Amino acid sequence: MKGRSTTILLFISFFFLLFNGSAIGFILLHFKLGVGFGIALFCSTSLFGALLAMIASEKNSSFYSRLLFYCNLIITLLPFYYFGIALLFS
């Protein structure tokens, strides 16, 4: 049972990574929900994916758990990067 729960946690973390890493997550959350709430929800789902990967790595540390953890953390910073570039060109 220990391996199955780790796999499920990593799968959910991977789903959040795909949703937030693609433009779909940013567009849906930012433009449909507004600037403040959309970015807050985007960052919280990325951090939740990183948390799930961290819980999975406590049970069974693997390459994929560390990869998903760090990728979700990097994806969390993307909205701030986009707004920084937008401020430079405005």
Side-chain angles (χ1 to χ4, degrees), residues 36-85:
F37 187 69
I39 290 176
L41 194 59
F42 182 88
C43 292
S44 64
T45 55
S46 294
L47 290 175
F48 184 66
L51 177 69
L52 291 176
M54 181 61 78
I55 291 171
S57 71
E58 284 184 7
K59 294 179 182 180
N60 185 12
S61 182
S62 68
F63 170 75
Y64 295 109
S65 61
R66 289 189 303 271
L67 178 71
L68 288 173
F69 174 72
Y70 289 121
C71 287
N72 275 310
L73 285 182
I74 291 170
I75 294 296
T76 304
L77 300 175
L78 281 179
F80 304 111
Y81 173 74
Y82 292 138
F83 281 116
I85 295 296

